[in-house]
């Protein structure tokens, strides 16, 4: 029986460095709606609650599932509550359930005020959050984690946020969704790059394990470049969108350890810096769409 985790450890277990992946798509989707003079701010607030609660929920769910499987017994990454024996598995499972329940409640309210069929999309998001590392055949153990992040935290999150406010999507939203998905997936690629040795030993066959160290490093950098190229494409909608390239120095900093061959704990800052890159990029592009001329 593990000892009781402190409040600070519970917060660390929620992995706050990953929260930009929840904030950025809501910023992007709301900005597109505002660009078309269709923003509904209280719906944007509900979308943010859904995104943040889903992100925290999936983080706790991964902590629980990986912990009981023993995947986190030998880990170089951030704190895991179950794997470190700091909290009982049931307590972490309960935290995951409460977070996902909050996402479900906020999501149902948002869907009923926009389009009831979105409830099915929300249910798929919650199922995806749990089945990433949960269940008998978790897709995160088969190399599909990055695809799921691209879909749920890129396409679904951005376009869903736009649709709930504007009742439509457009090419600007699609470009933003793809760029956001690339940056969100880059966070997971960096995480899985760090964990290649331990994941391989534990039988967790992530995309990074499948690709190997060298190609995973190339994939990570390619995702950052993709977001940069798509930022230039957004200039056709509003030239001021190029201000999103203000995040380029942060992206270069994030990619430094990856490009330089760092491993283990030396890759932990990459998660923070990639998340910060995504947050600054989304805020800059959002401001350009809303306030630019």
């Amino acid at each position: 029986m593990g000892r009781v985790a402190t409040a600070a450890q519970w917060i660390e277990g929620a992995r706050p460095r990953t929260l930009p992946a929840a904030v950025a798509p809501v910023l992007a989707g709301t900005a597109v709606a505002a660009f078309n003079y269709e923003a509904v701010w209280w719906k944007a607030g509900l979308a943010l609650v859904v995104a943040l609660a889903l992100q925290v929920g999936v983080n706790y769910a991964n902590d629980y599932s990986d912990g009981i499987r023993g995947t986190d017994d030998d880990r170089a990454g951030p704190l895991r509550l179950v794997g470190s024996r700091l909290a009982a598995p049931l307590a972490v499972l309960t935290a995951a359930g409460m977070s996902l329940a909050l996402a479900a409640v906020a999501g149902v309210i948002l869907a009923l005020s926009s389009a009831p069929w979105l409830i099915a999309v929300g249910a798929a998001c919650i199922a995806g959050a749990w089945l990433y590392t949960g269940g008998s055949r978790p897709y995160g153990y088969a190399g599909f984690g990055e695809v799921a992040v691209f879909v749920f935290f890129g396409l679904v999150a951005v376009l869903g946020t736009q649709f709930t406010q504007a009742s439509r999507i457009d090419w600007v939203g699609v470009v933003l969704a793809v760029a956001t998905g690339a940056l969100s997936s880059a966070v997971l690629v960096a995480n899985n790059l760090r964990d290649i040795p331990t994941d391989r030993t534990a039988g967790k066959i992530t995309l990074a394990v499948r690709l190997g160290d060298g190609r995973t490093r190339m994939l990570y950098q390619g995702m950052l470049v993709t977001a940069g190229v798509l930022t230039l494409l957004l200039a056709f909608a509003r030239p001021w969108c190029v201000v999103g390239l203000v995040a380029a120095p942060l992206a270069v900093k994030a990619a430094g350890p990856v490009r330089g061959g760092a491993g283990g704990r030396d890759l932990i800052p990459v998660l923070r810096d990639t998340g910060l890159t995504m947050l600054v990029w989304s805020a800059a592009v959002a401001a350009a769409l809303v306030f630019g001329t």
Side-chain angles (χ1 to χ4, degrees), residues 227-228 231 234 239-249 277 280-286 288:
T231 302
L234 289 169
W240 273 104
C241 284
V242 296
V243 77
L245 296 179
V246 71
T277 298
V280 170
W281 171 83
S282 62
V285 172

Side-chain angles (χ1 to χ4, degrees), residues 22-118:
V23 176
V26 176
L27 272 177
T30 300
V32 181
F35 173 66
N36 294 311
Y37 304 101
E38 296 167 326
V40 182
W41 300 106
W42 68 266
K43 289 186 176 181
L46 272 178
L48 183 60
V49 171
V50 173
L52 288 170
L54 272 175
Q55 183 68 65
V56 172
V58 74
N59 288 342
Y60 280 137
N62 292 347
D63 190 310
Y64 167 78
S65 296
D66 283 344
I68 63 173
R69 282 190 170 92
T71 308
D72 289 339
D73 288 350
D74 181 19
R75 179 177 171 82
L79 173 74
R80 287 295 186 99
L81 295 165
V82 176
S84 300
R85 310 294 191 270
L86 293 171
L90 180 59
V92 178
L93 178 61
T94 300
M98 291 174 63
S99 298
L100 295 177
L102 175 60
V105 170
V108 167
I109 296 171
L110 187 58
L112 291 178
S113 66
S114 306
W117 58 266
L118 287 171

Side-chain angles (χ1 to χ4, degrees), residues 9 14 61 66-67 72 87 95 103 106 118-120 172 196 201 221 234 253 256 260 266 270 279 286:
Q9 288 168 335
D66 283 344
D72 289 339
L118 287 171
I119 293 175
V172 179
I196 285 176
T201 300
Q221 294 173 80
L234 289 169
K253 179 184 177 184
D266 292 336
V270 176
L279 192 58

Side-chain angles (χ1 to χ4, degrees), residues 37-280:
Y37 304 101
E38 296 167 326
V40 182
W41 300 106
W42 68 266
K43 289 186 176 181
L46 272 178
L48 183 60
V49 171
V50 173
L52 288 170
L54 272 175
Q55 183 68 65
V56 172
V58 74
N59 288 342
Y60 280 137
N62 292 347
D63 190 310
Y64 167 78
S65 296
D66 283 344
I68 63 173
R69 282 190 170 92
T71 308
D72 289 339
D73 288 350
D74 181 19
R75 179 177 171 82
L79 173 74
R80 287 295 186 99
L81 295 165
V82 176
S84 300
R85 310 294 191 270
L86 293 171
L90 180 59
V92 178
L93 178 61
T94 300
M98 291 174 63
S99 298
L100 295 177
L102 175 60
V105 170
V108 167
I109 296 171
L110 187 58
L112 291 178
S113 66
S114 306
W117 58 266
L118 287 171
I119 293 175
V121 176
C125 291
I126 291 175
W130 173 252
L131 294 174
Y132 173 50
T133 55
S136 59
R137 300 184 68 180
Y139 64 84
Y141 280 57
F144 295 106
E146 287 78 3
V147 174
V149 167
F150 179 81
V151 171
F152 291 123
F153 285 94
L155 304 183
V156 173
V158 174
L159 298 178
T161 299
Q162 180 186 3
F163 186 84
T164 55
Q165 298 176 57
S167 298
R168 65 188 180 93
I169 59 176
D170 58 17
W171 75 269
V172 179
V174 172
V175 172
L176 273 172
V178 173
T180 303
L183 290 172
S184 295
S185 297
V187 175
L188 183 57
V189 170
N191 180 80
N192 289 343
L193 171 64
R194 182 200 63 223
D195 291 339
I196 285 176
T198 55
D199 283 346
R200 184 181 288 118
T201 300
K204 184 176 182 180
I205 310 302
T206 63
L207 181 61
V209 170
R210 291 183 183 278
L211 292 177
D213 186 275
R215 285 187 291 179
T216 300
R217 293 176 191 273
M218 292 176 61
L219 175 63
Y220 171 83
Q221 294 173 80
M223 287 177 168
L224 297 184
V225 171
T226 297
V229 171
L230 292 176
T231 302
L232 296 176
L233 182 58
L234 289 169
F236 286 99
R238 179 153 283 172
W240 273 104
C241 284
V242 296
V243 77
L245 296 179
V246 71
L250 293 170
V252 171
K253 179 184 177 184
V258 176
R259 190 173 57 253
R265 288 193 167 274
D266 292 336
L267 286 171
I268 293 177
V270 176
L271 274 70
R272 177 200 63 211
D273 293 336
T274 308
L276 184 59
T277 298
M278 179 165 49
L279 192 58
V280 170

